Structure formats: structure tokens, C-alpha cells
Amino acid sequence: MEITTNDIEIYFGENQILKGIDINISNKQFIGIIGPNGSGKSTLLKCIYRILKPSSGIVKIDSKSIHELTMKETAKKMGVVAQHNYHNFDFSVQDMVLMGRTPHKRALERDNEEDYKIMYNALEKVGMIDFAKRNFNSLSGGEQQRIILARALAQETESLILDEPTNHLDIKYQLQLLDIVKSLNIEVVSAIHDLNIAAMYCDKIYVMKNGKIVAYGTPQEVLTEKLIKDVYEVDAKVNLDEETGELNIIYRPNYKSN
């Protein structure tokens, strides 16, 4: 499966948020989108998963405009895990996950044995099988995010969109959630706030600043001391483990320079 954007622009009033964005997600890669606050990361992802409509440009799935697809067809191809999950109704955990089966159902069709099997398998994957009967609103933030991931897994899609889903999670749950996603062997695109997390999980990274793509490549190619200074306006030391190829970014606070 392939997701592409071609020359995406979006305006809020007279303020241009995205300025001609071209990206490509394919070959079952984990693609990260990084950049400072206000750079347009979440706005771009919302265009991809159809919360926002671009002012111009096009989003395609397998060379077909998403606007030629119904919302149900899009939901069969693309699962979404967003940063915030507020619900006015107190659904059970299993009901939350079963919502992921909706794109595969006819109107008013009841959940069947296969749907329940898929739901329990999804909960098993995220380590939440013992919580199936719990109320969703009684769970911690990290537990809720794992349930939202399970709901996306129950959609059985070919790709996942992660809209900064780990921002408010403890590091244990950040790594746990992204470990699960990385193991799925599907196309993934994720807005990521933490550069070390991006270095650990991403195959390729797009860097955004002021609504534009300013760099693209592997973590080693992109996450340089110069780029971090240019984009984030902070000094950093980037260390490379020669044996594992892993990067570690250490930030240098200004007070130590004074």
C-alpha cells in the first residue's frame, strides 16, 4: 500500500499552515514527521486521515484520491491513533475495540463471533486482555492509548496514522506502544515530538518547519547537530553507537554555556 500527498496547502483564514507538502509512505516503512510546535505536523496528518480538507493539493491512497473513496473505504485502509481520546459516554473496553469493526459491517449489523475473536486478539497484542470488561474512562492515560491502538488494530488496515499518540505517556508506555506498532509490518506514519524516540523507531524521517518539508532521510542522515540547531534552535550532541547504528541525542542547556 502507498500513501502520498502532492502539493498540499492549507489555510486557516489568511494564515497559511501547510505550504506545498509532498510525502510518500510505502514499502511497510515506519515514517516519522518531526518539527517544532506549530510546524504543521498534526495538520498534515489530519489532511491524510480526512479530519481536514486541504485548500489545494491531493492526498492519494494507492494512486487514488481519498476523495474518490467513501469514509468506510478509507477506514478499511487506514487506522488512526490520535493524541487525545475524550468520550462523553462510558463504553466498556471491549465495546471501544469492537468499534474498529464498524468499517467492515453493514448498517445495524450485529457483531459476530469473528468480530469478537478479532477484538480479543487486538487486546492480546496490546497486553490489555484482562481489561476487556472494564469501563474505558476508568483507565489511565497509557492504558487508554493501548485500547485506542487495539481499536485501530481491529480495523485490520494496511496502514496506521499516529498523531503524536505518546506525548503524555510515561516512557514505559511510549516504548510499549511503539514496539507494538513497529512489529505490525505495515505502513506507519507518525508525528513524533521526541527526537530520540524518532531515532529508535523510524526508517525515514520528514522534518517540518513553518509549514514546509526542510529535510528527509534516515535518522542518521536527518538528525544532525546542525539540523537540530537550525530547526529547533537548540544545541545538541548527537552520538552514534557504531555497533548498533543507534543515535542518542543529548541537549545542551543554555545556562551551561554562560
Side-chain angles (χ1 to χ4, degrees):
M1 180 177 161
E2 182 180 48
I3 300 171
T4 59
T5 71
N6 301 122
D7 201 25
I8 292 293
E9 297 186 346
I10 195 165
Y11 290 81
F12 294 153
E14 296 183 356
N15 189 20
Q16 187 175 11
I17 306 301
L18 298 181
K19 305 172 182 177
I21 301 295
D22 298 318
I23 68 169
N24 178 278
I25 304 106
S26 60
N27 299 319
K28 298 182 178 180
Q29 290 186 315
F30 192 123
I31 303 296
I33 301 179
I34 66 171
N37 291 339
S39 60
K41 303 185 298 296
S42 287
T43 300
L44 172 59
L45 292 188
K46 287 178 172 65
C47 290
I48 294 174
Y49 63 87
R50 303 185 71 171
I51 294 297
L52 294 174
K53 184 175 181 180
S55 305
S56 63
I58 190 169
V59 179
K60 295 181 179 180
I61 296 177
D62 290 333
S63 301
K64 190 172 186 178
S65 169
I66 60 171
H67 295 294
E68 296 177 31
L69 303 172
T70 66
M71 295 300 289
K72 178 177 280 193
E73 288 172 331
T74 304
K76 287 181 179 179
K77 292 179 174 290
M78 184 187 303
V80 178
V81 181
Q83 182 176 342
H84 299 294
N85 300 287
Y86 301 120
H87 298 275
N88 292 327
F89 301 100
D90 199 4
F91 296 102
S92 71
V93 164
Q94 69 175 26
D95 286 341
M96 285 291 295
V97 179
L98 282 168
M99 290 178 191
R101 302 302 301 152
T102 302
H104 303 276
K105 314 290 284 186
R106 296 186 299 273
L108 303 179
E109 182 182 357
R110 297 174 65 88
D111 295 318
N112 57 35
E113 183 178 350
E114 181 66 14
D115 296 319
Y116 274 85
K117 180 181 178 181
I118 291 168
M119 179 268 292
Y120 284 122
N121 284 340
L123 285 174
E124 187 74 49
K125 282 184 178 179
V126 302
M128 296 292 287
I129 191 70
D130 293 335
F131 290 72
K133 303 296 184 182
R134 288 272 300 273
N135 290 331
F136 178 79
N137 287 340
S138 72
L139 305 182
S140 70
E143 291 166 343
Q144 288 186 355
Q145 279 300 76
R146 283 189 283 167
I147 298 306
I148 298 304
L149 175 57
R151 184 176 68 184
L153 297 182
Q155 286 177 238
E156 297 189 313
T157 60
E158 301 172 59
S159 65
L160 272 181
I161 311 298
L162 308 180
D163 194 353
E164 298 197 78
T166 64
N167 264 13
H168 302 296
L169 303 185
D170 293 339
I171 186 62
K172 171 185 175 181
Y173 294 116
Q174 291 185 44
L175 299 178
Q176 198 171 67
L177 187 146
L178 292 174
D179 280 344
I180 293 165
V181 171
K182 187 74 171 177
S183 71
L184 296 175
N185 196 33
I186 61 175
E187 277 80 26
V188 177
V189 57
S190 179
I192 299 177
H193 184 74
D194 187 312
L195 300 187
N196 281 302
I197 292 285
M200 280 190 279
Y201 289 96
C202 295
D203 298 304
K204 298 286 181 64
I205 294 173
Y206 287 95
V207 185
M208 294 188 68
K209 184 177 182 181
N210 297 327
K212 296 181 179 180
I213 301 292
V214 296
Y216 169 72
T218 65
Q220 287 190 31
E221 292 169 337
V222 167
L223 296 175
T224 65
E225 294 169 9
K226 182 179 186 306
L227 181 134
I228 293 169
K229 179 67 172 179
D230 290 345
V231 172
Y232 291 92
E233 300 179 5
V234 297
D235 293 312
K237 176 68 175 176
V238 179
N239 296 315
L240 174 66
D241 187 315
E242 297 290 349
E243 291 186 7
T244 66
E246 294 177 349
L247 296 180
N248 178 249
I249 299 163
I250 302 171
Y251 301 104
R252 293 174 167 168
N254 285 335
Y255 77 87
K256 290 195 174 181
S257 304
N258 297 332

